[in-house]
Amino acid sequence: MGFPPRTWSANCRCGDLILAIISDEEAGGEYGASFLVERHAANFADVKYASANSAARLMIEGMTAALPVLPAMLLRGMLRPRISGLILKLLGEKGATFAPLLRNTVSATIVGGGEKINIHPSEITVELDGRTLPGVTPQQFIDELRRFAINDSIRLEVLRYDSCAPAPDMGMFDLLSDVLKEADKEAIPIPMLLPGGTDGRLFARLSIQTYGFLPMPLSKDMQFTKLIHAADERIPVEAVSFGTDAIYNVTNRSIVKMIIPSPL
């Protein structure tokens, strides 16, 4: 697959553009982003923003701004813990998309026990994949597990925890929105809280705000969230070209400063 070559404006002075290709985000980022942040932080000096391939309040308020009054009121009610569960039920299948954005979640993903079929194991271990909301500490998460799911007789141990900024820096959001609306006149840009971990949490240690910006026009019948990491994960070819153009335009505008005479 080929794309037309890109060039910067001839009359400009360009800042640095760092391309970091990291392959172990899904494995925790220990040998990729974590290594770069801990051992090569100087290479990212003065970097403020990054784009990677926000809080729930920002996302929901962005959505309600584009909705009629009654649906907006219903959606905004999800920000109220006492009634959020009821609203999620009223939304049905659509509510399942919002549920992990409003509460801590946990899944048992690895179970270990004995080595022989005829011997009872002396110990059984269960590894849990916990996803916490921004600002929640490991101890708060453990306390919640104790309260609702796991009794005190079972020992809990934190194997890995990487904190993230409790609130995002939205300083680049207007630029991303402008590029998206120029590419798609019907687009309504909103920030999104991602119910998963990315390398952005590691670069946040260097005060770098990461934006997951890869716009893709998808058909209405394509259940994209169910395809992520699935056996048949895919996106349309046209979406790749669309996203490439958008990323180029954002990059061009953010690092290229036109030389304009200062006003008298």
Side-chain angles (χ1 to χ4, degrees), residues 197-208:
T198 73
D199 285 335
R201 73 192 190 283
L202 302 172
F203 287 108
R205 300 176 188 174
L206 303 181
S207 299
I208 298 175

Side-chain angles (χ1 to χ4, degrees), residues 123-227:
E123 181 181 76
I124 294 177
T125 62
V126 180
E127 295 189 27
L128 306 175
D129 178 16
R131 306 292 175 94
T132 62
L133 297 176
V136 175
T137 67
Q139 188 58 51
Q140 289 174 323
F141 184 60
I142 289 176
D143 291 344
E144 188 172 356
L145 288 176
R146 293 291 190 198
R147 180 182 177 187
F148 295 105
I150 302 176
N151 63 50
D152 293 338
S153 65
I154 299 176
R155 182 170 60 90
L156 292 177
E157 176 186 355
V158 178
L159 300 180
R160 182 181 182 121
Y161 169 74
D162 294 302
S163 62
C164 66
D169 174 2
M170 301 297 291
M172 199 177 181
F173 184 73
D174 287 344
L175 171 59
L176 301 177
S177 298
D178 290 343
V179 169
L180 183 58
K181 287 185 289 188
E182 290 172 9
D184 183 350
K185 303 302 181 183
E186 298 182 357
I188 303 175
I190 59 171
M192 177 181 178
L193 177 64
L194 183 67
T198 73
D199 285 335
R201 73 192 190 283
L202 302 172
F203 287 108
R205 300 176 188 174
L206 303 181
S207 299
I208 298 175
Q209 174 65 59
T210 302
Y211 288 85
F213 183 75
L214 184 58
M216 297 178 290
L218 305 175
S219 61
K220 293 182 178 181
D221 61 344
M222 185 176 185
Q223 297 179 316
F224 178 68
T225 56
K226 294 183 178 181
L227 292 174

Side-chain angles (χ1 to χ4, degrees), residues 55-57 59-60 75-81 83-85 87-88 91 95 97-105 132-134 144 193 195:
R57 178 174 297 276
M59 184 184 78
I60 291 176
L75 200 61
R76 195 175 289 112
M78 290 196 298
L79 297 174
R80 301 172 61 184
I83 63 173
S84 62
I87 293 177
L88 290 173
L91 290 174
T97 302
F98 292 97
L101 308 180
L102 302 173
R103 59 192 63 173
N104 301 322
T105 63
T132 62
L133 297 176
E144 188 172 356
L193 177 64

